Amino acid sequence: IYDAAGNGRLLSTVGLAALGFPTQLTVVGPSAGSAQDKTAPGLVSVGFDTTSIDTSRAAAYARLTLSLNDDMSGVRYFDVGFLSPSGKEARGSHSYAQTNLAGSRSIQVFFPQSSEPGIWTLDRIGIYDGVGNGRLLSAAGLAALGFPTQLTIR
C-alpha cells in the first residue's frame, strides 16, 4: 500500500490476519453434471473499412469490423495489432466486446502522422471470453482462414 508521498507498507497474510482482515477466498465451481466453458471464442470474419490510409499530412485511423462468437460465456474482450513493413513499428487497439454469444464489433487503430509508409500486416487478433478462454491468431493464421491482413499506409 502506498500513499501520495510514496510511503509504502507491505502486508503479508499474517499481517492482514492480525489486523482482522480475511485472508482466504473460496471459489465455487459448477455443480457436478453442469457444463463448463472450456472453449475459446471464435472469429467468423474480419473486414477493413478501407485497405489504404494516408498519414503523410495527418494522423489517421484504420477501422476493422470483426464478427465474433462464443459457445457459453460470450466474447468479452478482443485486441488487434499491426506490424510495419520494417517490423520496427507496431500499432494496436483493444475493446471490451460484450457480444454475448455472437455479434459484430468495430475497432479503430490509430496511426500517427508520418507512420512508416508501405504495407502493414495485421499481425494478431486476440479474442477472450467471459471466463478467460482465449484464442490468439497470428498473421499466418488469419491468412490461412482467408481473412485480409494487409493495410497500405501512404
Side-chain angles (χ1 to χ4, degrees):
I1 301 171
Y2 292 92
D3 64 16
N7 301 307
R9 182 175 181 190
L10 178 63
L11 295 171
S12 67
T13 303
V14 172
L16 287 169
L19 293 171
F21 291 105
T23 59
Q24 294 184 345
L25 172 69
T26 301
V27 177
V28 179
S31 60
S34 66
Q36 283 185 318
D37 186 350
K38 295 181 180 181
T39 305
L43 180 63
V44 178
S45 67
V46 177
F48 289 28
D49 281 5
T50 182
T51 58
S52 178
I53 60 174
D54 186 354
T55 64
S56 63
R57 294 197 169 127
Y61 286 90
R63 183 180 167 130
L64 289 79
T65 300
L66 309 179
S67 180
L68 310 164
N69 65 20
D70 189 58
D71 63 342
M72 292 185 77
S73 61
V75 178
R76 293 295 180 252
Y77 175 87
F78 65 95
D79 61 61
V80 301
F82 283 90
L83 191 61
S84 70
S86 70
K88 294 181 180 177
E89 292 184 39
R91 301 283 178 260
S93 190
H94 66 274
S95 178
Y96 289 92
Q98 303 299 323
T99 64
N100 294 323
L101 297 181
S104 291
R105 291 292 182 258
S106 293
I107 189 167
Q108 294 188 72
V109 179
F110 176 76
F111 289 85
Q113 183 177 355
S114 301
S115 289
E116 181 180 334
I119 298 174
W120 286 60
T121 302
L122 179 57
D123 189 52
R124 72 174 193 290
I125 295 179
I127 314 163
Y128 306 89
D129 69 13
V131 297
N133 297 312
R135 181 178 312 274
L136 182 61
L137 296 159
S138 66
L142 292 165
L145 293 169
F147 298 139
T149 59
Q150 295 185 338
L151 175 70
T152 300
I153 305 279
R154 296 187 307 270

